[in-house]
């Protein structure tokens, strides 16, 4: 049911036909009040039904319980960090590990439970660190191994976990393995990469990943052969068909596990092996991932998340739910929400998350994001509409899955304007922490320009404003914290008679929550979910929507671009 916005404190009675035009005709005069009183009641003061207040748990204690043990990652909020852009500590304009360590308290206060660091290993930086030249060291720009250990210890002391980004599909051309492999056709690492006399091989029918060029083969004048690469020519693919290569890359994971990291994000892991039969997630890649899982399971409470290379089901990354990844990124939501929220229908989101619940094996849990280092800033994809960005974040935090927050997302950080490496740099600008030269990020010249509007989006300014995007984001993270229902609870989508209202239930053993999201940004809506069967009346915890239980039905009223989170048990 689509209506105009109702006056505050006034919402349609169930079954009544709103008469906004009539009310409008006499608006303002005493006569209007008389006519409205005589008309079939179009609205009822909402104050008539006081909200219940459910007994509140000790959420800090609950969070501590949920975030311990092997299932911690299901309840955690992850934070993706581009170390280069978070905090500079030595005035060279480049963010670094000591800088990040100095900001851990700020991230902890925001509600961050785990960090995923984009690659921090030595790299010629042709692909922002995703071209590794040494898997067992720290990029000198970012610090030393001692700095890494200090960060790890500081994170663990605060109860925060630490994920590294492992890039095992390819190395940099500057990696010693490639430098040796290219020397001739007989050296010990001659077949650690994929070589050919021609720019193509029948057993390697795979092209480059789009946006990384037109050919997957590049001529190497040293060896006098072509080599295979799915990404930039300076990123040759490793030949995992050679068992020594597979062992060597598994050893990289072992090396960092031994240094106390809590897990990994695996870059383009599905592309590890290629064959005449396929270019992605072929059986050899699946078997490799199972070896990775066995390796992680030998340590305590470790987890890993996969970067898929396709839209659609993430099920292939989970195996039976216990023998492959703990999490995989939900690209459909992460890349598609901007388009979905630009329309007024709740159905695509309802269908998407319902399908995931059906599709994944027991125990599988996707990683949900709205922004990352590979796509424009979420605020830009929301067309600069704050309410759209906020509702996208609400879905991210309350649908089944583990939220991954891209650094600066909590500020609704704007896209950058400068490109240093490639176009994706627009989403990789530094964090403006406070007003002043260098915005508290650096005392020197930042390696890349700040995004637009740092005067509005700096942490200090947003923290001081209770209506800021930061305040909203922090309240969202706080809402999720210590509430088992949002981490591992069941999902039940409640269809209503209004196609613009997304309504769903998250339920754990002893608590039930309802989330309402209005997809229409121009009008108020009221919808009735006839078979809601809510266990209790609604206590609103967040947002501006209203939810009223009426027998087995539930009636929800959502202002334009509105939302609500309710506890009903
Ligand atoms: Ca620095
Ligand atoms: Ca490959």
């Amino acid at each position: 049911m689509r209506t105009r916005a109702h006056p505050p404190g006034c919402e349609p009675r169930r079954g009544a036909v709103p008469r906004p035009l009539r009310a409008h005709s006499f608006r303002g005069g005493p006569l209007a009040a008389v006519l409205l009183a005589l008309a079939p009641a179009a609205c009822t003061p909402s104050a008539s039904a006081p909200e219940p207040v459910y007994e509140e748990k000790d959420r800090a204690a609950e969070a501590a319980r949920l975030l311990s043990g092997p299932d911690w990652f299901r309840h955690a909020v992850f934070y993706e960090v581009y170390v280069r852009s978070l905090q500079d500590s030595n005035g060279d304009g480049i963010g670094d590990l000591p800088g990040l360590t100095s900001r851990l308290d700020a991230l902890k206060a925001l509600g961050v439970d785990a960090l995923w660091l984009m690659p921090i290993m030595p790299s010629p930086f042709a692909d922002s660190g995703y071209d590794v030249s040494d898997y067992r060291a720290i990029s000198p720009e970012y610090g030393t191994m001692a700095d890494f250990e200090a960060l790890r210890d500081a994170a663990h002391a605060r109860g925060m976990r630490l994920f590294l980004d492992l890039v095992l599909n390819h190395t940099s051309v500057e990696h010693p393995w490639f430098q040796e492999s290219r020397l001739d056709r007989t050296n010990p690492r001659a077949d650690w990469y994929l070589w050919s006399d021609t720019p193509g091989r029948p057993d390697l029918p795979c092209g480059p990943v789009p946006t990384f060029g037109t050919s997957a083969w590049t001529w190497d004048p040293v060896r006098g052969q072509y080599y295979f690469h799915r990404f930039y020519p300076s990123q040759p693919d490793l030949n995992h068909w050679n068992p020594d290569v597979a062992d060597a890359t598994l050893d990289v994971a072992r090396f960092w596990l031994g240094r106390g990291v809590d897990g990994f994000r695996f870059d383009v892991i599905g592309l590890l092996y290629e064959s005449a039969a396929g270019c992605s997630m072929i059986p050899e890649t699946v078997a490799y991932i199972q070896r990775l899982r066995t390796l992680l399971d030998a340590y305590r409470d470790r987890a890993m998340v996969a970067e898929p290379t396709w839209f659609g089901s993430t099920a292939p990354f989970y195996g039976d739910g216990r023998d492959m990844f703990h999490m995989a990124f939900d690209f459909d939501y992460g890349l598609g929400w901007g388009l979905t929220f630009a329309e007024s229908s709740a159905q695509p989101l309802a269908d998407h998350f319902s399908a995931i619940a059906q599709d994944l094996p027991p125990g599988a849990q996707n990683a949900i994001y709205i922004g990352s280092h590979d796509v424009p800033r979420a605020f830009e994809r929301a067309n600069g509409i704050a309410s759209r960005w906020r509702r996208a974040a609400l879905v991210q935090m309350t649908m089944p899955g583990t939220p991954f927050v891209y650094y600066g997302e909590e500020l609704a950080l704007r896209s950058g304007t400068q490109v240093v490496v490639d176009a994706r740099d627009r989403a990789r600008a530094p964090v403006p922490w406070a007003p002043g030269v260098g915005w508290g990020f650096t005392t020197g010249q930042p390696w890349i320009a700040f995004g637009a509007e740092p005067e509005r989006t700096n942490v200090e300014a947003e923290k001081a404003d209770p209506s800021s995007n930061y305040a909203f984001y922090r309240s969202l993270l706080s809402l999720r914290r210590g509430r088992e229902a949002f981490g591992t609870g069941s999902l039940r989508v409640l269809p209503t008679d209004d196609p613009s209202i997304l309504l769903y239930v998250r339920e754990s053993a002893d608590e039930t929550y309802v989330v309402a999201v209005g997809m229409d940004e121009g009008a108020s809506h009221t919808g009735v979910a006839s078979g809601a069967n809510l266990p209790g009346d609604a206590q609103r915890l967040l947002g501006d929507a209203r939810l009223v239980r009426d027998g087995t039905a539930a009636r929800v009223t959502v202002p334009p671009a509105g939302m609500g989170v309710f506890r009903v048990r």
Side-chain angles (χ1 to χ4, degrees):
M1 180 201 297
R2 180 182 167 120
T3 64
R4 293 191 175 187
H6 295 284
C10 188
E11 62 183 17
R13 182 179 290 171
R14 182 162 173 254
V17 179
R19 301 192 171 193
L21 285 177
R22 184 166 187 171
H24 184 261
S25 305
F26 298 95
R27 185 170 58 188
L31 185 58
V34 174
L35 287 172
L36 280 170
L38 293 174
C43 72
T44 331
S46 60
S48 60
E51 281 190 355
V53 177
Y54 291 98
E55 186 182 344
E56 184 61 339
K57 291 185 176 183
D58 179 344
R59 296 296 168 191
E62 279 292 285
R65 178 179 72 82
L66 296 170
L67 292 167
S68 62
D71 279 343
W72 67 270
F73 67 90
R74 302 178 190 280
H75 301 279
V77 170
F78 280 73
Y79 192 82
E80 178 188 358
V81 181
Y82 192 25
V83 171
R84 198 174 198 83
S85 285
L86 195 94
Q87 178 67 55
D88 175 27
S89 73
N90 60 356
D92 67 357
I94 296 175
D96 45 50
L97 295 178
L100 170 57
T101 303
S102 75
R103 293 298 188 183
L104 284 184
D105 284 333
L107 299 179
K108 177 83 179 170
L110 173 65
V112 171
D113 303 305
L115 304 172
W116 148 32
L117 310 187
M118 287 163 62
I120 56 171
M121 296 149 195
S123 162
F125 217 67
D127 186 14
S128 303
Y130 287 93
D131 48 328
V132 176
S133 56
D134 183 351
Y135 282 118
R136 296 166 185 250
I138 301 295
S139 169
E141 290 176 320
Y142 293 159
T144 63
M145 190 60 83
D147 292 329
F148 169 78
E149 289 167 355
L151 168 67
R152 173 202 63 196
D153 293 346
H156 287 169
R158 289 162 176 77
M160 301 165 87
R161 318 267 182 159
L162 188 60
F163 269 34
L164 292 190
D165 206 323
L166 283 193
V167 188
L168 304 182
N169 175 68
H170 49 264
T171 69
S172 162
V173 286
E174 293 187 15
H175 195 289
W177 294 345
F178 186 79
Q179 290 299 317
E180 185 177 347
S181 186
R182 79 193 307 188
L183 288 177
D184 52 48
R185 302 183 188 198
T186 56
N187 70 74
R189 292 200 169 87
D191 69 343
W192 277 44
Y193 294 83
L194 298 150
W195 297 96
S196 173
D197 289 329
T198 56
R201 256 170 50 176
D203 62 331
L204 271 171
C206 312
V209 170
T211 77
F212 287 90
T214 54
S215 173
W217 295 89
T218 290
W219 174 254
D220 180 43
V222 178
R223 173 142 157 172
Q225 276 190 307
Y226 294 89
Y227 63 88
F228 176 76
H229 54 87
R230 301 296 297 274
F231 297 91
Y232 288 125
S234 58
Q235 295 169 295
D237 272 46
L238 283 160
N239 175 23
H240 280 87
W241 291 95
N242 180 331
D244 292 342
V245 173
D247 288 346
T249 52
L250 282 162
D251 252 355
V252 171
R254 190 177 288 112
F255 174 85
W256 289 105
L257 288 166
R259 269 163 184 68
V261 307
D262 300 289
F264 306 103
R265 177 260 190 188
F266 282 101
D267 188 63
V268 296
I269 191 75
L271 306 185
L272 230 55
Y273 290 76
E274 293 87 3
S275 77
C279 300
S280 184
M281 286 302 273
I282 66 175
E284 288 75 11
T285 299
V286 170
Y288 180 95
I289 293 168
Q290 289 167 338
R291 289 181 70 191
L292 268 178
R293 178 60 183 260
T294 301
L295 173 62
L296 259 75
D297 284 349
Y299 297 78
R300 220 178 132 187
D301 298 347
R302 311 299 166 98
M304 58 184 191
V305 56
E307 182 199 21
T309 38
W310 62 68
F311 288 95
S313 174
T314 52
F317 292 96
Y318 292 109
D320 66 8
R322 293 180 302 277
D323 64 346
M324 291 175 67
F325 278 95
H326 301 77
M327 297 173 280
F329 286 104
D330 176 355
F331 272 16
D332 286 22
Y333 186 71
L335 300 176
W337 66 264
L339 291 174
T340 307
F341 274 91
E343 298 170 2
S344 294
S345 170
Q347 200 65 45
L349 290 177
D351 288 348
H352 174 64
F353 288 101
S354 300
I356 290 172
Q358 296 294 317
D359 177 44
L360 299 187
Q365 179 158 322
N366 276 342
I368 310 184
Y369 68 100
I370 61 170
S372 82
H373 61 287
D374 277 335
V375 292
R377 280 281 173 186
F379 197 76
E380 177 180 331
R381 292 199 292 147
N383 283 345
I385 301 169
S387 64
R388 188 178 293 181
W389 173 87
R390 291 185 181 200
R391 284 171 294 137
L394 172 69
V395 169
Q396 176 195 16
M397 298 301 163
T398 57
M399 274 292 189
T402 297
F404 275 63
V405 177
Y406 186 47
Y407 83 97
E409 193 63 80
E410 70 276 17
L411 305 165
L413 212 56
R414 315 299 197 249
S415 291
T417 52
Q418 189 184 356
V419 167
V420 173
V421 177
D422 62 35
R424 293 171 296 169
D425 280 343
R426 297 190 58 238
R428 300 175 183 184
V431 174
W433 288 94
V437 177
W439 293 101
F441 164 72
T442 182
T443 56
Q445 183 70 23
W447 74 275
I448 193 169
F450 286 88
E453 300 189 276
E455 67 285 352
R456 283 174 61 111
T457 60
N458 71 80
V459 178
E460 196 173 298
E462 291 215 34
K463 266 186 160 172
D465 175 4
S467 68
S468 69
N469 288 320
Y470 177 91
F472 168 78
Y473 213 85
R474 192 171 160 172
S475 70
L476 257 191
L477 296 186
S478 169
L479 176 75
R480 195 180 192 281
R481 188 166 200 77
R483 296 182 199 270
E484 190 170 0
F486 292 119
T488 50
S490 61
L491 169 70
R492 185 162 62 102
V493 173
L494 298 180
T496 79
D497 57 2
D498 186 307
S500 75
I501 300 175
L502 177 63
L503 193 66
Y504 52 100
V505 178
R506 299 299 313 278
E507 189 164 73
S508 62
D510 60 350
E511 293 185 338
T512 306
Y513 295 87
V514 177
V515 180
V517 184
M519 299 299 287
D520 189 341
E521 295 170 348
S524 217
H525 286 258
T526 294
V528 175
S530 54
N533 289 313
L534 300 182
D537 290 328
Q539 175 191 1
R540 186 170 65 190
L541 304 179
L542 182 143
D544 49 8
R546 295 169 190 280
L547 181 69
V548 177
R549 186 169 67 137
D550 188 354
T552 59
R555 189 179 74 238
V556 59
T557 301
V558 189
M563 66 175 96
V565 178
F566 310 89
R567 187 169 170 190
V568 294
R569 184 173 63 125

